[in-house]
C-alpha cells in the first residue's frame, strides 16, 4: 500500500494516451492542488522530435525529468501538495523524481485500449504511432516504489475518485 504524506505530490504516470492529463486535471481541481503538465516542461527539441514521429532517447529525457523534479521538490520542500503528469516510463526516470512525499499513480491499460483512445484524440503533438515505443520503454513500478496502479477502464471521474479514496486524499487535504 502506498504511503501518503501530509502534503503529497502525485506523479500521474503511464504511456501516452493512458489518460494522465485528463485525470490529473480532475484531481487537482477536486483537491484544489497545484497542477503541472509534464508535456509543457519538455524542451522544444523534444516536442519537435515526437511530433516528427521519433521516440525520445534517455538523453532527450534527462533535462525534462530534471525540470519535473525541480517542480516536485519546490512543492515538497514548501509543504504544498500538487499533481504532475509525467510518463515516467522507466525506473531510472522515476529515481530522479522520487523523494519524501512523492507518490506515483500508474495508469495501466492494454495497447488496444490506449491505441483506440489515441486514434480518436486530435490536436496533440504526440503521434499514435509512437505508442509501441512507449510500451517498449515501459517498466511498471515494483513493490519497492511508493505507488498505486489503476486500470484505465473506468471513466475519468471514477478514476479520480478511486485515487482520492485509495490514497485517503480527502483526509490528507483536511490535515492542518
Ligand atoms: N478514463 C477515460 N475514459 C475514456 N477516455 C479517456 C479517459 N481518460 C482519458 N481519455 C481520453 O483519452 C485520450 C488520452 O487522454 P490524455 O490526453 O489525458 O492522456 P495522456 O496520458 O495525458 O497522454 P499524453 O501523454 O500523450 O499527453 C484523450 O482523448 C482523453 O479524452
Ligand atoms: O517519455 C516520453 O516519451 C514522453 O514524455 C511522452 O510520453 C510525452 O511526454 C507524452 O506523454 C506525450 O504526450
Amino acid at each position: 500500500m502506498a504511503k501518503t504524506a501530509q502534503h503529497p505530490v502525485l506523479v500521474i504516470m503511464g504511456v501516452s494516451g493512458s489518460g494522465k492529463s485528463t485525470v490529473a486535471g480532475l484531481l487537482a481541481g477536486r483537491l484544489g492542488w497545484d497542477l503541472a503538465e509534464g508535456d509543457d516542461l519538455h524542451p522544444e527539441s523534444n516536442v519537435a522530435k515526437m511530433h516528427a514521429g521519433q521516440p525520445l532517447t534517455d538523453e532527450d529525457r534527462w533535462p525534462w525529468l530534471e525540470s519535473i523534479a525541480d517542480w516536485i521538490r519546490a512543492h515538497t520542500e514548501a509543504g504544498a501538495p500538487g499533481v504532475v503528469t509525467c510518463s515516467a516510463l522507466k525506473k531510472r526516470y522515476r529515481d530522479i523524481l522520487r523523494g519524501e512525499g512523492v507518490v506515483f499513480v500508474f495508469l495501466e491499460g492494454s495497447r488496444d485500449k490506449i491505441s483506440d483512445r489515441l486514434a480518436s484524440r486530435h490536436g496533440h503533438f504526440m503521434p499514435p504511432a509512437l505508442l509501441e515505443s512507449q510500451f517498449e520503454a515501459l517498466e511498471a513500478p515494483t513493490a519497492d516504489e511508493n505507488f498505486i496502479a489503476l486500470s484505465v477502464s473506468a471513466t475519468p471521474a471514477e478514476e479520480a475518485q478511486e485515487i482520492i479514496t485509495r490514497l485517503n486524499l480527502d483526509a490528507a487535504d483536511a490535515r492542518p
Side-chain angles (χ1 to χ4, degrees), residues 15-22 39 117 121 124 126 154-156 159:
V15 297
S16 172
S18 53
K20 301 182 294 291
S21 304
T22 307
D39 277 352
R117 281 190 190 173
R121 182 174 72 169
H124 194 286
M126 188 75 171
T155 65
E159 286 176 17

Side-chain angles (χ1 to χ4, degrees), residues 16 20 39 42 50 56 61 64 87 89 121 124-126 134:
S16 172
K20 301 182 294 291
D39 277 352
H42 272 298
M50 288 185 273
L56 300 181
R61 288 177 176 128
W64 170 63
S87 47
L89 298 174
R121 182 174 72 169
H124 194 286
F125 65 78
M126 188 75 171
Q134 295 267 300

Side-chain angles (χ1 to χ4, degrees), residues 4-8 31 33 81 164 167-176:
T4 312
Q6 191 170 7
H7 300 294
L31 295 165
W33 291 3
I164 288 172
L167 293 177
N168 204 14
L169 296 180
D170 281 330
D173 204 33
R175 284 179 220 138

